[in-house]
Structure formats: structure tokens, C-alpha cells
Amino acid sequence: MEITKFLKHHYRHFNAAALVDAAEGYKAHLDHNGKMMVTLAGAMSTAELGLSLAEMIRQDKVHIISCTGANLEEDVFNLVAHDFYERLPGYRDLSPQQEQDLLERHMNRVTDTCIPEMEAMRRIEDVILEEWVKADSAGDSFFPHEFFYKILLSGKLDASFQIDPKDSWLLEAAKKNLPIIVPGWEDSTLGNMYAGHCISGDVKNVHTVKSGIQYMMFLADWYTQNALDDSTVGFFQIGGGIAGDFPICVVPMLHQDLQRDNVPLWGYFCQISDSTTSYGSYSGAVPNEKITWGKLGLDTPKYIIESDATIVAPLIFAIVLGQ
């Protein structure tokens, strides 16, 4: 427990103390038979959060995930094309011409990291298109993450792995058939590709890939079955945006729209945030604002850490894992 000892000794005040408090709250929630949703915004998969998140999944510290379409696909991009990625520590100094040069080499930049289009995006497109067409021809439909589970568990990509597969959080999730919510999947590289294949006629039925409304319906049933008096569901939010905003609304929907008054509120809440509340940002709103929306209660353990998620999340996971 060297990491935990270090953090508890040095992280005593301000956001540092909030980090330790949130991690201890996470552990306490699990110790009281609670389940945990983790939400992933930003580019956490390209930041290789799988190095710590995959172990959290293996050890049953995460029970459901909500993520953007980008985080869903970018974990797999890294899995099959890691050796072709390029890191640009001096990205702040790039000129428009240098950015254009990256485009012409098909290197798509995310801050200091370039994702190779041909080795990552097109390689996955070729494999997943087969599954889209197969399902379409059979009149079947699946969620976006279920198509990824199919290609990961099929073995078709195994020969292309360029990192240790134990560091892919999506592969670990696939092995456990972990429920995943992907709101706004259309706003992703493969979502755009799917739209293109629907336009070109490769996929005849646009509903072959299920939508966000169906995800909310699935989440409503999952939450009702798993949020019980003796086993509430916690909410650990990395960043802001739709990955967090979408699933947290399932509770007021259940209460206000479906009249399921016996369903508990979220039993724990933590957000790692870099947003600014005073700008009217929902993503940056302090947890107490969520009381007014019927998402959290007066007594819900609430934490907010205003810092960089790429630094904070692995440290919290380390404490939860007892490292």
C-alpha cells in the first residue's frame, strides 16, 4: 500500500485532501454492499486510463460504465495501434502548417497524442462493418458497445494487439459483459462511419445500432434492479459532458416520469472536474445543485475534486485497489 500511504501522508488539504476523502468514500460505499457507475468524458482512453481502470473492472470495483463514443472506440484504437501513435510534447507550439502536415499524414491529434487513422480507425472499421452488415441482414439490432464486445471476443483482433491486453479496459469489460451506457454515440469516429455506411446503403436499417433512448430505457431497468435499500448505486464522474449528464438523470426520470418512488437516489457522488461553475456550466455545478433536481439527497456522500482527471483518477483507483 505504498501509493496509499504516500497519498495519505502528503495529500492533506484542498483538492489533495478531497482526493483522499473521495477514495475512502468510494471504498466505504463498496464495503456497504453498494455498486458503482464510472463515467468517462474527455479523452481518458487515449490517456490510457485502461492501465488502472481495467484492474478496477477485474476486481469488481466498477459495476457499470457510461462513456462517450470516443472513449469507447479509443480504448480499442490504442489496443491495436499503440505502436503507431505519436506523442507531441510541444503541441502548444504547433503552427497551422504543422497541423496541416499531421492531417496529410492521417494523424489525428488529441492534445499531445496523435491517433493514426489507417492503423487504428480504418482497421476497426473493417472489422466492425462486418458485424453491422451481419446484424442488419439478420434484422437484429445491438447497442454500440455490444458490437465492440463481439469483435473483441471473436478473436479477430488478437493478432493486432500492440499493448498488453490486460490494460484494455473495454476488453476486460467485454469479458465480464459489463453493462455500458454510450449516450450520443453518433458523435464519434465510428458513429460518423456508421452514418456513412447507412447513406451508402451498406447498412439498410439505421436502427441496426441502437440509440440513446434505448440506452436510457436499459439503464432505467438496470438501476431499478440494482439500486435497492441495502445496495445503492454510486456515481463516480470523470469530467463532465454527456457521459455524466445523461445517466445521472435516470433517477429523477424514474421518480417523476415513471412514479417509481421506492427507487433510492444515487448513494454516492464524486466528480473530478475542470469546469467553472460561474459560467453556468452544468458539468461544473457543485454536487448540492443536484439535490434540486432530485438526483442526490441531503445525506448522499458528495465529493468534488477540481483538478486534472488524468492525474487524479489513477490515484483514487490506487487507494480503492489497496495499492
Side-chain angles (χ1 to χ4, degrees):
M1 297 182 64
E2 290 304 313
I3 299 174
T4 299
K5 289 179 181 178
F6 177 89
L7 293 175
K8 288 187 174 182
H9 181 73
H10 292 279
Y11 282 36
R12 302 188 182 194
H13 303 280
F14 317 137
N15 276 299
L19 183 159
V20 175
D21 291 343
E24 291 296 337
Y26 194 132
K27 289 175 61 180
H29 179 76
L30 297 183
D31 289 343
H32 286 85
N33 201 34
K35 294 182 172 62
M36 189 66 74
M37 169 181 275
V38 171
T39 79
L40 306 177
M44 296 307 297
S45 288
T46 292
E48 298 189 72
L49 187 66
L51 289 163
S52 54
L53 181 58
E55 187 62 24
M56 290 282 285
I57 294 170
R58 270 191 295 275
Q59 294 196 26
D60 297 317
K61 308 297 187 184
V62 179
H63 304 90
I64 185 170
I65 287 175
S66 173
C67 69
T68 59
N71 274 306
L72 186 74
E73 65 192 13
E74 287 176 13
D75 182 78
V76 184
F77 293 166
N78 181 62
L79 177 63
V80 302
H82 179 82
D83 295 348
F84 295 96
Y85 278 56
E86 292 183 17
R87 184 165 176 264
L88 301 172
Y91 68 92
R92 292 179 178 85
D93 301 320
L94 293 176
S95 68
Q97 183 57 56
Q98 289 172 309
E99 303 277 20
Q100 179 66 28
D101 293 343
L102 290 172
L103 170 66
E104 291 173 2
R105 292 200 296 116
H106 302 282
M107 299 298 291
N108 302 117
R109 184 170 70 83
V110 180
T111 311
D112 71 344
T113 303
C114 291
I115 303 174
E117 177 185 338
M118 303 311 295
E119 289 80 8
M121 300 167 183
R122 297 301 171 185
R123 178 178 295 173
I124 298 303
E125 180 188 20
D126 290 342
V127 177
I128 206 167
L129 177 59
E130 294 180 13
E131 294 295 338
W132 290 339
V133 172
K134 179 181 176 182
D136 187 54
S137 299
D140 294 330
S141 61
F142 300 97
F143 285 118
H145 77 276
E146 292 178 314
F147 280 106
F148 275 97
Y149 281 4
K150 287 176 183 294
I151 65 172
L152 285 171
L153 297 177
S154 70
K156 293 179 180 178
L157 294 174
D158 289 8
S160 299
F161 289 174
Q162 294 187 354
I163 64 169
D164 189 329
K166 72 178 180 60
D167 294 331
S168 165
W169 72 261
L170 191 60
L171 181 56
E172 290 301 320
K175 292 176 181 177
K176 287 182 173 286
N177 196 27
L178 198 76
I180 299 183
I181 308 299
V182 192
W185 171 75
E186 300 83 0
D187 179 24
S188 67
T189 298
L190 284 171
N192 294 164
M193 291 175 178
Y194 180 75
H197 286 293
C198 288
I199 293 169
S200 66
D202 298 322
V203 177
K204 311 298 182 188
N205 183 1
V206 68
H207 300 296
T208 296
V209 178
K210 294 181 180 180
S211 72
I213 295 300
Q214 290 156 302
Y215 263 130
M216 182 58 81
M217 293 168 65
F218 169 82
L219 179 57
D221 287 339
W222 185 93
Y223 192 92
T224 301
Q225 293 171 20
N226 287 273
L228 307 172
D229 289 336
D230 63 343
S231 180
T232 61
V233 181
F235 198 93
F236 187 84
Q237 182 174 351
I238 298 177
I242 195 171
D245 299 348
F246 180 90
I248 202 169
C249 291
V250 73
V251 170
M253 186 198 77
L254 289 169
H255 289 167
Q256 299 167 20
D257 301 322
L258 291 173
Q259 305 301 310
R260 297 183 187 175
D261 297 331
N262 59 328
V263 177
L265 299 173
W266 294 98
Y268 162 99
F269 177 83
C270 174
Q271 181 181 8
I272 306 170
S273 175
D274 61 359
S275 188
T276 305
T277 306
S278 64
Y279 292 162
S281 164
Y282 177 75
S283 295
V286 295
N288 280 353
E289 183 175 298
K290 292 174 174 56
I291 295 174
T292 72
W293 291 89
K295 299 166 184 174
L296 305 180
L298 287 171
D299 299 324
T300 307
K302 308 173 189 71
Y303 309 91
I304 187 164
I305 307 155
E306 295 178 311
S307 188
D308 183 336
T310 62
I311 298 171
V312 170
L315 295 176
I316 290 180
F317 292 165
I319 294 176
V320 174
L321 292 167
Q323 296 174 345

